Amino acid sequence: MLDYQAILEEIHESLKKTENTGEVASYIPELANIPKNKFGIHLKLITGEDYFVGDASEKFSVQSISKVLSLAKAFQLVGNELWKRVDVEPSGNPFNHLSLLELENGIPRNPLINSGAIVVADVLLSHLKNPKEDFLDFVRELTHDDSIQYSEKIAESERITGFNNYAAANLLKAYGNLNNKVEDVLDFYFHQCAILMDCRQLTNAFFVFANKGNCLKNVQHLSSSQVKRINSIMLTCGFYDEAGEFAFEVGLPGKSGVGGGIVALLPHCFTIATWAPALNAKGNSYMGMQALEQFTTKTKLSIF
Ligand code: GLN
């Protein structure tokens, strides 16, 4: 058996010696204040063992990582109908890119870019009775942790500077791909991005994608076929215009967020989350990508 704790510690030590050239996201003012050198990893094996180093139990804004959880809920609610409104192709473009949306008549390339996640948010608004409460309950259920909360401060900070997301939502509305009011859909979207979680909670939440649709408590939330599809979308679209690079360097389905988190998984084997707030030019955690590259290289555990 591999000595996972020693491997995480080796990675931590090696990254302490690496210059962190990334920058903390500043376009959401509340995120700009996070210290750049925070760093944590949490690994959870499918058999239940946990290993961690650094700031793995410090909460941060999960941002776009939440797009996988909202996708899972929408897929659970409406099944394959979802794909009439959002495609499953990598965009090869930044997360907030707009021009493809216009070229492709208001059908977002995939659910993990902003426009796609805004359509998914619209689906949830149409199908959940109390959307924000019900979605938070879903995340808490998956994670088996009732302490998870939205940060109202971060949601508001993003709303005030969310011009790009307003543009995307307005375009979607103009193309008839948004059924609810722009303001209501974005209020939900900004809140889902503003969920606060730590690395440990993220590995617990994503356990369902490594465990054929069954959460930590062995409750089935998704079919194994749905999980296969969500994992494939993470692999091809989880890192925007760096999805190829992540597959090449790390070789796992995963998702990043501009809060500096990354969560990745090997089906039937483990989930792993990293947090390092400084981002590279493509909006993915600079140190998190390197940590995961080292992890799959040292353990030889990847889908390839
Ligand atoms: N809430 C962020 C936004 O919409 C999410 C972006 C991200 O994490 N890549 O801009």
Side-chain angles (χ1 to χ4, degrees):
M1 167 120 166
L2 288 163
D3 187 345
Y4 289 108
Q5 189 61 39
I7 291 171
L8 296 191
E9 278 161 21
E10 267 174 41
I11 295 170
H12 195 189
E13 283 312 307
S14 119
L15 290 181
K16 274 184 198 160
K17 294 181 203 126
T18 306
E19 192 199 347
N20 191 350
T21 61
E23 292 296 336
V24 174
S26 55
Y27 76 100
I28 301 173
E30 274 298 313
L31 296 184
N33 309 322
I34 313 286
K36 168 173 172 167
N37 287 321
K38 292 281 179 188
F39 179 81
I41 314 180
H42 192 105
L43 167 70
K44 182 169 201 80
L45 303 188
I46 202 85
T47 42
E49 293 89 343
D50 290 282
Y51 304 90
F52 54 91
V53 291
D55 304 312
S57 57
E58 197 166 319
K59 292 196 171 40
F60 57 93
S61 176
V62 302
Q63 291 294 319
S64 284
I65 294 173
S66 67
K67 290 171 178 162
V68 181
L69 303 173
S70 59
L71 167 64
K73 187 68 199 172
F75 200 11
Q76 184 199 71
L77 287 167
V78 304
N80 290 327
E81 283 294 299
L82 188 60
W83 314 126
K84 291 186 180 156
R85 296 182 54 190
V86 56
D87 207 347
V88 293
E89 292 298 335
S91 74
N93 279 302
F95 58 87
N96 54 7
H97 193 78
L98 288 178
S99 59
L100 262 184
L101 188 59
E102 196 172 16
L103 276 177
E104 295 175 356
N105 301 316
I107 303 294
R109 269 287 170 109
N110 67 68
L112 302 184
I113 50 173
N114 289 10
S115 55
I118 291 169
V119 168
V120 170
D122 184 57
V123 170
L124 293 181
L125 238 64
S126 298
H127 285 84
L128 298 176
K129 216 164 157 205
N130 301 302
K132 283 193 277 188
E133 291 81 351
D134 295 351
F135 180 64
L136 193 58
D137 281 346
F138 175 65
V139 176
R140 288 172 168 179
E141 243 173 76
L142 286 185
T143 315
H144 201 65
D145 190 333
D146 285 344
S147 71
I148 297 170
Q149 299 282 1
Y150 295 118
S151 160
E152 291 296 337
K153 230 171 154 185
I154 294 175
E156 178 59 10
S157 177
E158 184 162 356
R159 190 185 64 78
I160 294 169
T161 55
F163 306 111
N164 214 287
N165 288 319
Y166 276 96
N170 277 299
L171 258 183
L172 290 165
K173 190 77 181 168
Y175 279 104
N177 200 5
L178 216 62
N179 296 327
N180 296 281
K181 286 188 196 149
V182 163
E183 200 59 58
D184 295 346
V185 178
L186 288 181
D187 179 58
F188 180 91
Y189 172 78
F190 294 144
H191 277 81
Q192 73 166 77
C193 291
I195 288 178
L196 296 175
M197 286 168 89
D198 61 27
C199 291
R200 182 184 57 83
Q201 290 169 326
L202 281 172
T203 61
N204 288 342
F206 276 64
F207 193 85
V208 70
F209 306 114
N211 194 34
K212 299 187 204 144
N214 299 296
C215 72
L216 272 182
K217 288 281 147 185
N218 225 18
V219 175
Q220 182 135 25
H221 292 271
L222 298 155
S223 69
S224 55
S225 158
Q226 287 178 318
V227 160
K228 177 180 78 178
R229 301 197 198 290
I230 293 172
N231 285 340
S232 77
I233 296 172
M234 278 196 253
L235 183 75
T236 53
C237 313
F239 297 81
Y240 320 111
D241 42 344
E242 225 177 12
E245 181 76 12
F246 192 80
F248 180 79
E249 299 283 350
V250 180
L252 296 172
K255 184 72 198 89
S256 63
V258 293
I262 299 180
V263 54
L265 62 108
L266 181 60
H268 322 305
C269 195
F270 66 78
T271 56
I272 188 165
T274 59
W275 179 47
L279 309 176
N280 66 20
K282 309 268 185 177
N284 297 312
S285 168
Y286 179 76
M287 288 296 193
M289 297 256 304
Q290 293 187 48
L292 291 170
E293 185 280 323
Q294 288 196 25
F295 181 77
T296 56
T297 301
K298 285 177 195 287
T299 58
K300 303 190 177 66
L301 292 172
S302 88
I303 63 167
F304 300 109

